[in-house]
Amino acid sequence: MAERVNLTKRTIDHYTNLGLLEAERSPANYRYYDASAIERLHLIEKWKSDGMSLLDIKRKLDEKDVHEAEEIDVRELRIKINGLKDEVSEVLAHLNKTDVTSQEYIKKNVSSESMSLIQTLLLLLK
């Protein structure tokens, strides 16, 4: 990886020790980096060339990681909520077709807020 990003192994080890990069360890204690490490190294080097200190870069990367994690969580929640909405719609569609009163009652009396609460509770129970 050091050759691919034109840095020394020592520099990459230093960044890892500072927490700027994450590495998996092999049984022989070698460091293995995933594909995102290359992008992250390019970002570190760009910010360094812009005059940022490694401490400031660490802070910025930590903020970026938190923001990306929150975006992923929100995206996953939206997907789960949409799936639950589909399930609820399917249940409503499969109610006894002759029992129009029950269908209308559910449609009229279960607010969207209640459905959201039910969906949230279902997510927590999984």
Side-chain angles (χ1 to χ4, degrees):
M1 185 170 80
E3 289 177 11
R4 286 183 70 187
V5 293
N6 201 27
L7 293 171
T8 65
K9 180 187 174 308
R10 185 175 176 188
T11 298
I12 293 171
D13 288 345
H14 181 63
Y15 291 166
T16 304
N17 291 334
L18 291 175
L20 299 173
L21 292 172
E22 290 184 18
E24 296 291 324
R25 292 283 187 167
S26 73
N29 208 27
Y30 289 104
R31 292 179 181 169
Y32 289 101
Y33 299 90
D34 64 17
S36 67
I38 292 173
E39 178 184 324
R40 197 167 176 105
L41 280 168
H42 288 300
L43 195 54
I44 291 167
E45 290 302 304
K46 181 198 176 306
W47 287 338
K48 254 181 68 179
S49 69
D50 290 345
M52 287 181 70
S53 70
L54 291 177
L55 182 60
D56 289 338
I57 291 171
K58 170 98 170 88
R59 286 185 191 128
K60 197 165 183 171
L61 287 171
D62 289 345
E63 289 172 9
K64 182 179 181 290
D65 291 343
V66 167
H67 181 69
E68 287 175 357
E70 288 172 350
E71 284 180 0
I72 290 169
D73 288 345
V74 169
R75 221 175 298 131
E76 288 175 0
L77 285 174
R78 284 186 180 141
I79 290 168
K80 286 181 181 179
I81 287 172
N82 286 335
L84 289 170
K85 284 180 182 177
D86 292 343
E87 288 176 26
V88 169
S89 295
E90 190 175 325
V91 168
L92 289 174
H94 285 91
L95 281 174
N96 184 352
K97 301 287 184 194
T98 59
D99 192 2
V100 175
T101 309
S102 294
Q103 285 182 339
E104 291 303 316
Y105 176 81
I106 291 170
K107 288 178 183 176
K108 287 180 182 174
N109 293 305
V110 179
S111 68
S112 59
E113 291 85 8
S114 295
M115 290 304 294
S116 295
L117 179 58
I118 291 167
Q119 290 171 347
T120 303
L121 292 171
L122 288 172
L123 285 172
L124 291 173
L125 293 173
K126 286 187 177 184

